[in-house]
Amino acid sequence: KIVLTRESLMNMKEDLISSEKISVDLETTGIDPFNCSIVGISFSNQPSKAWYIPVGHKYLNAPMQLSTDEIAPVLRSILENPDIKVCGHNIKFDFHILKKLGIKIKNIWFDTMVASYCLNPSRKSHSLKNLSIEYLNKSMATIETLIGKGKNQITMADVDINSAGKYSCQDADFTLQLACLFEPILVEKKIDKLFFDVEMPLIEVLADMEETGIKLDIEYLEKLSDEFKKEIESTESEIYQLAGENFNINSPKQLSYILFEKLKLPVIRKTKTGRSTDEDVLNVISQQHPLPSKLIRYRELQKLKSTYIDSLLNLVDRNTSRIHTSFNQTVTATGRLSSTEPNLQNIPIRTPEGKKIRRAFISEENCVLVSADYSQIDLRVLAHVSADEALKDAFFHNKDIHTSTACEIFGITPEKVTPELRRIAKTINFGIIYGMSSYGLAQELNIDQKQAQEYIDNYFKKYSGVRKWIDEILSFARKNGYVKTLLNRIRYLPEINSNNGQVRSFAERIAINTPIQGTSADIIKVAMINIYKKLNEEKLKTKMLLQVHDDLLFEVPEPEIEKVKKIIKKEMETAVNLSVPVLVDIKTGHNWRDME
DNA sequence: GCGATCACGTA
DNA sequence: TACGTACGTGATCGCT
């Protein structure tokens, strides 16, 4: 039903207000919630029935529509009613748009996209169209049939109200049907707690983080861009000089010709289609020619400038100087979040040049940035799930875990652990989590495979609980075809019994890694929800800004610093109860580079 | 305009 | 034979 008049709006309100569950779906002029406007909104409260309120159709001779101001009070009476359970498909998007209109959905009950993700995080697509085909056996028209695609694409505002209404109503209808279908499946598979107590509450937290954004020092970034540009250009000239000709340095193909044919440098490794020119290779051949070192420097600066400096400047809001990422909750197979446009989960930190990028992320006036990161969360999770005595003991005595591992595998006292031995132990510790082979370890440490195998054997001799756990998780995976995290997040491993050794080995590494990486993801999600709740309850102005897998970043008004630091630390350390201590390091600073 | 490929940034 | 998990982005290049 299309709602064009106040009378019809009141009929709709009367119908919806007494519903237990409704679905909502918005049509907008784009997919970026901060850069689009509302075109219409649809609701459904029973199968095969939905309402569409057009408010922003703008085509020639479009009928008179209700305004957003006129419908806002009605929307509020429905969506802010705590007794009406609201569902949606990717409801974080709708939440953002409605919030801009001054409407805050009170009872976000169910997101079908997130539910699909919980049922099977490895699915290629969690789109409503796909889910409808698979679960409802109904195919849906795509949005392209309405707005087209490519350079002639129009927006929903240009689309005929009846066509848009039909499309939107179907979305709302199928969303509610799917939600009602999914709920008992989640219960039956015992992932209802993960869904209702973790993933659903997390939606509003993520929406708030996205809306807040983080402040950038634009002037500084622009200067940095210039500085990098100059050095890129001079390095470029040097490279052409050394190569004896101009070519496209960014093309691995053209670069290969220069390195391996013209300069006759040795081929170290091949890729699927040619000869590898990655950094490891360049490092090896840099012994024989001055060009590779220049290339490494060129690549570093080029990467930083294009991927970070320039794209951040493109995406920053020039009015507020803040940049708003999008946190995706339904992408990774392990339960981690991902971040896009821009990806703020891979801002450089390792090299001095890279760190210059972090310096551009700053706190608002009279605020500081507080970063809180879990110390060795993956290894603590390993200690917990494996119950390995030696590993647990190290954490109970708050030892440096890599030094402690070095002591065990090399049979020496802590004083005898050199930085080199610690580095080896560290590589092994991470290798264990990733299911690394002796070959991989040998590669990484630049040692022979026999030596690597000895290290690994030694590790398992000392950490027999870890060995036992790996055996158990693999046999569980083989028997059941899936693995699970602490909070029952599931990941199917259809290839765990494959006859293809390579395929099977890959599944085995996943079987080892996912319960660890996924449990860490579970833990930080719970912490985020609890911190968000606490900050609201205490009416604090502090804002959670970013999550980087084991790290949370906040913007904190100066008067709140001490109180908030305590809250963050406590909530993160006690989010779940592991059989080993969980520790969080807190740092503060006025930019993301200089934190202490 | 799209998708594959390479390379490289993070945890 | 391949050979350590999980991601996203930019540039190139060949295809449609």
Side-chain angles (χ1 to χ4, degrees), chain A residues 536-553:
Chain A
N536 279 337
E537 281 170 2
E538 308 259 336
K539 299 210 169 16
L540 292 157
K541 297 261 167 52
T542 292
K543 284 295 194 177
M544 198 183 302
L545 306 181
L546 299 177
Q547 188 249 46
V548 190
H549 310 308
D550 62 1
D551 204 353
L552 294 176
L553 191 70

Side-chain angles (χ1 to χ4, degrees), chain A residues 324-362:
Chain A
H324 306 264
T325 185
S326 167
F327 285 109
N328 201 316
Q329 203 178 346
T330 62
V331 168
T332 73
T334 56
R336 278 187 174 181
L337 299 175
S338 82
S339 157
T340 52
E341 273 184 300
N343 180 358
L344 294 185
Q345 290 182 322
N346 72 344
I347 300 301
I349 191 169
R350 283 168 197 174
T351 69
E353 301 290 8
K355 281 184 182 169
K356 289 182 178 173
I357 311 280
R358 285 211 170 203
R359 156 72 181 75
F361 292 79
I362 57 176

Side-chain angles (χ1 to χ4, degrees), chain A residues 507-519:
Chain A
E508 287 171 355
R509 292 194 294 274
I510 295 173
I512 295 165
N513 177 259
T514 296
I516 301 170
Q517 190 185 121
T519 296

Side-chain angles (χ1 to χ4, degrees), chain A residues 149-166:
Chain A
K149 56 176 183 168
K151 64 178 165 65
N152 292 322
Q153 192 172 63
I154 55 175
T155 80
M156 205 51 115
D158 307 311
V159 174
D160 165 70
I161 286 180
N162 286 312
S163 317
K166 202 173 164 192

Side-chain angles (χ1 to χ4, degrees), chain A residues 284-309:
Chain A
V284 173
I285 58 179
S286 67
Q287 304 301 316
Q288 301 176 39
H289 198 279
L291 186 59
S293 313
K294 296 287 176 197
L295 285 167
I296 291 172
R297 179 66 178 166
Y298 172 88
R299 284 221 181 117
E300 180 185 18
L301 296 171
Q302 176 69 29
K303 171 85 178 174
L304 293 174
K305 183 171 184 294
S306 65
T307 309
Y308 299 103
I309 304 178

Side-chain angles (χ1 to χ4, degrees), chain A residues 59 77 103 116 173 191 300 309 312 315 328 377 390 443 452 474 494 549 575:
Chain A
Y59 53 89
S77 68
I103 298 155
S116 166
D173 177 14
I191 38 185
E300 180 185 18
I309 304 178
L312 291 177
L315 291 166
N328 201 316
I377 188 68
Q443 283 273 300
L474 289 176
H549 310 308

